[in-house]
Amino acid sequence: MSDLPPRDPNESFDDFDEIIEAETDRDPDLAVIEAGSRTLRTQGGPQQADVPARPEDPETDRALREVEADLATRWGETKLEPSVARIAALMDVLGEPQRSYPSIHITGTNGKTSTARMIEALLGAFDLRTGRYTSPHVQSVTERISLDGAPVSAERFIETYRDIKPYVEMVDGQQEYRLSFFEVLTGMAYAAFADAPVDVAVVEVGMGGSWDATNVIDGDVAVVTPIDLDHTDRLGGTTAEIAGEKAGIIKQDATVILAQQPVDAAQVLLKKAVEVDATVAREGLEFGVVARQVAVGGQLLTLRGLGGEYGEVYLPLHGPYQAHNAAVALAAVEAFFGVGSQRPEPLDIDTVRKAFAAVSSPGRLEVVRRSPTVVLDAAHNPAGARATAEAVGEAFDFSRLIGVVGASADKNVRGLLEAFEPVFAEVVVTQNSSHRAMDADELAAIAVEVFGEDRVQVEPRLPDALEAAVTLAEEEGEFAGGGVLVTGSVITVGEARLLLGRG
């Protein structure tokens, strides 16, 4: 039997579509997330703390919708004018809140959010009050701004927006273009962190580095996760060109933590570090993964940090790439505390183990259902897809894996599908409700070229795609070990998470 929530096929999922269509004056990405919360809330269990649901109080919910509606009138995250002039002007009128706390700044192509969550967990375990700013969100915009390891409450999100709104409007009137959706959220995050106040901010770039809105901070530690080809229309067509943009977060006298990089990207990053007298620590040389083995629900690691070796570290996340993210996160926190420079001794091993054991990363190889097992992963480019495909094969003993893929039209969809082709027995192509989504029939045409016609099924509506994939996974019988992987976009994963009762 299907493990999807019971439903009337003519009611709840149709309501989902109707509410989305009615939200014509709002950002489609926000609309679909809210629609899912309203139509499917009763089908799930308790909401996890790191993925907040809609506020239960009607007045708070109404106020949050007003804020989201205001934000949705601004440029979305795919429309950019590469400059930090507007966000710098906002910081100026707000009194430079981003300079009231030290920061760890994170860029790269893949792994940024997971690495940020690990850094946050480590810092919190050492009794520091943290602020974390990441993007995009899986289900709720409030996820992007976290204090003490949890998303800010809806009430705090609303209050922060109202506090800075007059200053945002002031800057809007002075600039050629209004502040964008992402720029306003960045201003909110920096203001919220100063107001808390936090001991340290962990900040993930939105795109690139040099002209990213987050790049008005002077990160004491700059982290560069693996660089690959993505957003090539904006960042450049080679990893070296992309690295040139991302190197912009490396500031004077900072410490730079470099994950393993393509040679041309590493050369660019190291050159920038020399220019600004930054200290560099490189994965595979100054730090890295010594050993790893698959464990129940994750993996057991031995990591080499800047101050020595950390053994028997349990990480409840799957995949070799998450082990590398853990090594990068550990080195970043060591650098923040001066391990390897001001202090020779390593971090307390028990505290490190406790922190890593508590890490979560929603939508990253996240198991949301059993019988058959349904896994969500937000891979949206070929490099991420290759890492996910490898991790699925290692972490799950599926006899038959069915893919559900809904991708954005501006991505390298062929490369993404080619990465998954060896591990998917069949693929159900679909589309999410974002305005950025690739049409299901267009995606299917590419999928047929990659998988062959017999292995591709088209279901334009995500609820139907999930039902079809579960049915295909169950064809070999209840105990045959079939599974479903939902992937291709953060929006697809967020919608599926709601539909499968996790939101």
Side-chain angles (χ1 to χ4, degrees):
M1 284 185 68
S2 169
D3 197 38
L4 288 167
R7 65 175 177 87
D8 180 337
N10 296 317
E11 292 182 6
S12 64
F13 287 152
D14 286 343
D15 291 345
F16 185 80
D17 290 337
E18 290 170 7
I19 294 171
I20 294 165
E21 291 171 5
E23 298 279 4
T24 54
D25 61 337
R26 307 190 59 254
D27 186 294
D29 293 354
L30 294 176
V32 68
I33 289 166
E34 293 183 5
S37 296
R38 280 182 275 170
T39 60
L40 302 173
R41 186 182 300 134
T42 59
Q43 297 181 10
Q47 177 64 48
Q48 290 190 338
D50 52 8
V51 183
R54 297 298 312 181
E56 293 185 4
D57 176 62
E59 195 61 29
T60 303
D61 188 53
R62 181 195 59 77
L64 180 58
R65 292 184 191 284
E66 289 180 357
V67 172
E68 291 171 327
D70 277 357
L71 290 170
T73 65
R74 297 179 176 275
W75 278 0
E77 291 171 279
T78 59
K79 187 172 183 179
L80 303 169
E81 195 277 319
S83 168
V84 295
R86 293 175 300 281
I87 187 68
L90 179 60
M91 293 297 99
D92 181 55
V93 298
L94 289 176
E96 305 291 346
Q98 82 282 15
R99 303 200 188 285
S100 63
Y101 40 79
S103 303
I104 297 177
H105 206 178
I106 306 168
T107 191
T109 302
N110 291 307
K112 296 187 294 295
T113 298
S114 293
T115 302
R117 284 176 168 273
M118 293 179 196
I119 291 172
E120 173 190 52
L122 284 163
L123 293 169
F126 284 98
D127 297 325
L128 292 184
R129 187 166 203 203
T130 58
R132 172 172 53 85
Y133 181 54
T134 53
S135 61
H137 54 273
V138 177
Q139 288 176 203
S140 171
V141 69
T142 59
E143 295 168 38
R144 298 186 180 219
I145 305 173
S146 291
L147 292 171
D148 294 322
V152 294
S153 65
E155 293 83 356
R156 189 159 197 160
F157 189 88
I158 295 162
E159 180 185 358
T160 302
Y161 179 75
R162 288 173 175 171
D163 284 346
I164 76 165
K165 184 178 179 180
Y167 301 97
V168 169
E169 293 174 343
M170 182 188 307
V171 173
D172 284 343
Q174 298 170 347
Q175 299 293 318
E176 182 179 1
Y177 304 105
R178 296 170 71 214
L179 287 152
S180 69
F181 170 84
F182 186 73
E183 287 168 334
V184 175
L185 282 175
T186 302
M188 289 173 61
Y190 290 162
F193 297 162
D195 186 60
V198 301
D199 297 314
V200 54
V202 182
V203 178
E204 173 190 338
V205 303
M207 186 186 299
S210 296
W211 41 259
D212 187 74
T214 63
N215 201 30
V216 288
I217 57 172
D218 293 322
D220 301 78
V221 178
V223 177
V224 186
T225 66
I227 291 174
D228 213 296
L229 298 179
D230 198 11
H231 300 297
T232 53
D233 56 328
R234 297 180 177 92
L235 302 179
T238 68
T239 50
E241 290 174 341
I242 294 172
E245 291 294 338
K246 295 183 183 292
I249 73 163
I250 301 174
K251 304 298 173 58
Q252 189 73 34
D253 299 322
T255 300
V256 186
I257 306 299
L258 293 184
Q260 293 179 346
Q261 304 290 347
V263 172
D264 61 346
Q267 290 173 337
V268 172
L269 294 166
L270 290 171
K271 180 181 178 181
K272 177 59 182 288
V274 170
E275 291 173 354
V276 297
D277 292 323
T279 302
V280 177
R282 298 154 294 179
E283 184 182 6
L285 294 174
E286 285 79 22
F287 69 93
V289 179
V290 176
R292 58 179 295 272
Q293 61 186 78
V294 177
V296 176
Q299 51 194 307
L300 193 65
L301 309 176
T302 299
L303 303 175
R304 185 177 77 253
L306 305 179
E309 196 166 285
Y310 300 79
E312 297 184 354
V313 174
Y314 174 69
L315 179 68
L317 301 176
H318 300 290
Y321 68 97
Q322 293 290 19
H324 291 286
N325 289 341
V328 170
L330 176 61
V333 173
E334 285 183 307
F336 181 79
F337 285 124
V339 174
S341 54
Q342 291 98 332
R343 49 180 286 187
E345 70 276 7
L347 300 176
D348 178 72
I349 183 60
D350 290 333
T351 305
V352 169
R353 288 172 179 155
K354 178 181 177 182
F356 275 120
V359 168
S360 67
S361 195
R364 277 75 179 177
L365 281 180
E366 179 185 19
V367 177
V368 293
R369 283 298 173 93
R370 300 286 186 182
S371 300
T373 299
V374 179
V375 182
L376 307 180
D377 191 86
H380 56 273
N381 56 47
R386 288 191 295 270
T388 296
E390 179 185 8
V392 167
E394 175 186 86
F396 303 95
D397 189 23
F398 292 130
S399 61
R400 175 182 174 83
L401 181 61
I402 308 300
V404 175
V405 178
S408 295
D410 59 346
K411 296 296 183 180
N412 181 356
V413 175
R414 180 180 295 276
L416 182 138
L417 292 172
E418 288 174 345
F420 283 122
E421 190 277 332
V423 299
F424 287 165
E426 297 182 57
V427 61
V428 182
V429 297
T430 187
Q431 64 189 75
N432 60 55
S433 297
S434 167
H435 62 289
R436 298 169 55 194
M438 175 174 280
D439 177 78
D441 289 333
E442 184 180 350
L443 179 56
I446 301 172
V448 167
E449 294 177 2
V450 174
F451 288 84
E453 188 172 352
D454 293 343
R455 294 168 63 194
V456 178
Q457 182 170 334
V458 186
E459 296 289 351
R461 297 177 69 249
L462 182 58
D464 297 333
L466 293 172
E467 291 277 19
V470 166
T471 300
L472 289 169
E474 290 175 333
E475 283 185 351
E476 295 183 348
E478 183 179 356
F479 303 105
V484 175
L485 175 64
V486 184
T487 189
S489 163
V490 175
I491 297 296
T492 300
V493 165
E495 290 181 28
R497 206 171 187 275
L498 288 165
L499 291 165
L500 293 166
R502 294 302 289 269

